[in-house]
Amino acid sequence: MTVGSVSAGDSRTDIAELVRDHLRDIPDFPKPGVLFKDFTPLIADGPAMKALVLDIARRYAGRVDVVVGIEARGFILGAAVAYELGLGMVPIRKAGKLPGETIKESYALEYGTAEIEVHTDAFRPGQRVLVIDDVLATGGTAEATAALVERAGALVTAIEVVLELSFLEGRKRLGGRDVNAILTL
Ligand code: AMP
C-alpha cells in the first residue's frame, strides 16, 4: 500500500528517518535550557502520519486489547493507532480532568512535577495494554502511567514512543518493560 510518497511497507529505518525529518527543535520551551522536540510537523503531514500509525499498528496487531494515550500528544497518536487496530483508547489525563472516579500517581518531570490520573473502571481485568506517547524523556510519565494501568487491573504489554531522548536515561526507570522508540537520539 502506498500513502502519498510514503510506502506503508517502509522499513524501520525509513520510518525513523521520516520521523527525524518531521521533528522540529524549539529551544528554551517550556522553560530555559529545555530543547523541546515538537512533533506537530509530523502529525500535520498526512502521508507521514499514516505511515507512522500503520507501522505502530502492524507491530501490535493481535498482541494488545486496548491502547492508552498519555495527555496530550499521546492522545493524537494513541487514538489513530487504536482506530487502525479496531481497539478502544483509554486516556491518561492530568489531575482534575477526568469526570469519574480516578486513581492518581505523582512524579517528577524533566521540567517540573506532575500528577496524572485514570478512571478506576477504565480496563477490564487482565486487559493487555499498549501505552503510547510522543517523547520518552526522563521516563517519569511512562513509569507513572504503567503504575496506573497496573493499579487499575490491566497489563502493560509495551510502551511505544515516537522519540526517545536516550541521554535522559528514561528507559532505566522502566525496568524490564518492553519499550520501543521509533527514533532514538
Ligand atoms: P518524561 O516524564 O520526562 O519522560 O517526559 C515525558 C513527557 O514530557 C512526554 O509526555 C513528553 O511529551 C514531554 N517532554 C519531556 N521532555 C520533552 C522534550 N524535550 N521535548 C518534547 N516533549 C518533552
Side-chain angles (χ1 to χ4, degrees), residues 73-154:
R73 292 170 294 272
F75 293 171
I76 300 167
L77 197 55
V81 170
Y83 179 86
E84 179 63 29
L85 288 169
L87 300 176
M89 197 206 83
V90 169
I92 297 284
R93 298 217 60 181
K94 290 171 183 155
K97 301 283 188 183
L98 287 169
E101 188 187 326
T102 61
I103 48 175
K104 185 184 300 192
E105 286 279 330
S106 304
Y107 63 101
L109 278 174
E110 185 187 2
Y111 39 79
T113 57
E115 279 186 326
I116 54 174
E117 293 180 331
V118 71
H119 277 140
T120 49
D121 62 356
F123 307 104
R124 289 193 299 281
Q127 273 193 312
R128 300 166 300 169
V129 173
L130 170 62
V131 174
I132 295 190
D133 203 1
D134 61 338
V135 175
L136 180 69
T138 66
T141 310
E143 184 184 31
T145 296
L148 279 179
V149 167
E150 288 168 354
R151 283 174 59 202

Side-chain angles (χ1 to χ4, degrees), residues 167-183:
F167 61 94
L168 292 171
E169 302 189 324
R171 202 175 269 267
K172 278 192 184 164
R173 288 174 75 160
L174 298 169
R177 295 188 188 280
D178 182 357
V179 180
N180 184 67
I182 306 278
L183 176 66

